Amino acid sequence: MSESTIQIALVLPDLLGTYGDFGNAVVLEKRMAWRGIKAEIVPINYGEPVPDSCDIYVVGGGEDTAQTLAVKHLREHPGLQRAVTKNAVVLGVCAGIQIFGESFTRADNITHPGMGLIDSTSHAGGSRAIGEVLAEPANGLFSGVLTGFENHQGRTVLGPSAQPLAHVKVGTGNDGSVEGAVQGRIVCTYLHGPVLPRNPQLADMLIEWATGTKVAPLDLPAVTAMRAERVKAAS
Ligand code: GLN
């Protein structure tokens, strides 16, 4: 493995991978390859050690039982936590935002410790949030509306060290008002789709953080058309 290959850890795809969230890792790899940046996906399955040497970690969504098993494993094998102290870039989706926080209370009212990577707590909402979401990126983080699909019972409250990723226009996100979280180089969202195929501008932000290099836009008409169609469907 050459030193210049960007390693994308696909974390526990066997537990956390609802709605094709592994596609986020594929998009990162392809968008780098198309710019001549060498990248490879490193799957880490349940029961395996978690390396701390990857450049990007991608964590997907999962139901309550799966995410509880996942957080137990990730607390027992804290490679991801060590990688964060070494400035790794991290994307956490849905169950990801919940397990990255200080704690999460499941729909059965049992509270579990999280990984303590972001200043947040999650609790079960009164209803399940299901449907298309549109949100405006916060703090000019990236351009274009954030589009995705949500399906979660949990609601997330951010503490002062975490910033929202976006402000909700349609849908629920964390709490009906803000969507996702950003803390250092950790980005979280409730959005599936998967989120990176639908939001190439967010994918490129993560790539620029991981490589330390500005990347030129890619002209992919199929992606532009898909985004327009999804945004229209949600409006
Ligand atoms: N189990 C969590 C919830 O329902 C996360 C669901 C998901 O990742 N789609 O809130």
Side-chain angles (χ1 to χ4, degrees), residues 18-19 21 60-64 67 93-98 105-107 121-133 148-157 168 170-180 189-192:
T18 49
Y19 309 116
D21 285 335
E63 291 316 321
D64 286 3
Q67 82 181 56
V93 176
C94 202
I97 187 172
Q98 297 179 10
T105 303
R106 308 188 327 181
T121 56
S122 297
H123 59 276
S127 62
R128 229 178 147 77
I130 306 174
E132 289 289 324
V133 177
F149 173 79
E150 63 182 344
N151 183 355
H152 54 101
Q153 189 81 29
R155 302 292 189 274
T156 297
V157 179
V168 175
V170 174
T172 302
N174 298 4
D175 59 358
S177 169
V178 299
E179 176 0 66
T189 177
Y190 266 103
L191 303 191
H192 303 280

Side-chain angles (χ1 to χ4, degrees), residues 2-233:
S2 110
E3 267 187 9
S4 58
T5 300
I6 298 289
Q7 292 195 301
I8 305 159
L10 178 58
V11 180
L12 306 182
D14 45 356
L15 289 176
L16 301 176
T18 49
Y19 309 116
D21 285 335
F22 73 92
N24 292 323
V26 175
V27 164
L28 291 169
E29 185 197 23
K30 291 287 176 217
R31 295 184 73 84
M32 284 193 267
W34 289 331
R35 271 90 168 224
I37 303 167
K38 273 196 262 170
E40 67 179 2
I41 298 173
V42 181
I44 302 155
N45 286 300
Y46 182 63
E48 293 176 357
V50 181
D52 62 12
S53 53
C54 293
D55 303 282
I56 309 181
Y57 290 75
V58 178
V59 178
E63 291 316 321
D64 286 3
T65 309
Q67 82 181 56
T68 305
L69 270 178
V71 78
K72 187 168 177 293
H73 185 72
L74 294 171
R75 283 168 55 88
E76 283 169 7
H77 301 270
L80 173 43
Q81 295 87 319
R82 282 198 303 272
V84 167
T85 67
K86 297 195 286 180
N87 254 347
V89 172
V90 181
L91 174 68
V93 176
C94 202
I97 187 172
Q98 297 179 10
I99 66 173
F100 286 175
E102 298 298 334
S103 68
F104 61 91
T105 303
R106 308 188 327 181
D108 60 9
N109 219 21
I110 299 173
T111 299
H112 291 269
M115 293 161 71
L117 291 174
I118 60 168
D119 185 9
S120 70
T121 56
S122 297
H123 59 276
S127 62
R128 229 178 147 77
I130 306 174
E132 289 289 324
V133 177
L134 291 179
E136 283 298 331
N139 305 316
L141 266 175
F142 51 90
S143 62
V145 70
L146 187 67
T147 154
F149 173 79
E150 63 182 344
N151 183 355
H152 54 101
Q153 189 81 29
R155 302 292 189 274
T156 297
V157 179
L158 302 182
S161 301
Q163 302 300 312
L165 175 65
H167 297 281
V168 175
K169 299 286 171 211
V170 174
T172 302
N174 298 4
D175 59 358
S177 169
V178 299
E179 176 0 66
V182 181
Q183 187 165 331
R185 283 148 70 98
I186 303 172
V187 172
C188 300
T189 177
Y190 266 103
L191 303 191
H192 303 280
V195 69
L196 295 187
R198 282 209 198 187
N199 298 280
Q201 66 290 30
L202 175 59
D204 284 351
M205 184 186 89
L206 299 178
I207 289 169
E208 288 182 351
W209 286 4
T211 60
T213 314
K214 191 120 189 79
V215 289
L218 291 171
D219 183 21
L220 299 171
V223 174
T224 307
M226 179 264 289
R227 263 181 72 73
E229 189 266 320
R230 290 289 86 207
V231 170
K232 193 170 161 210

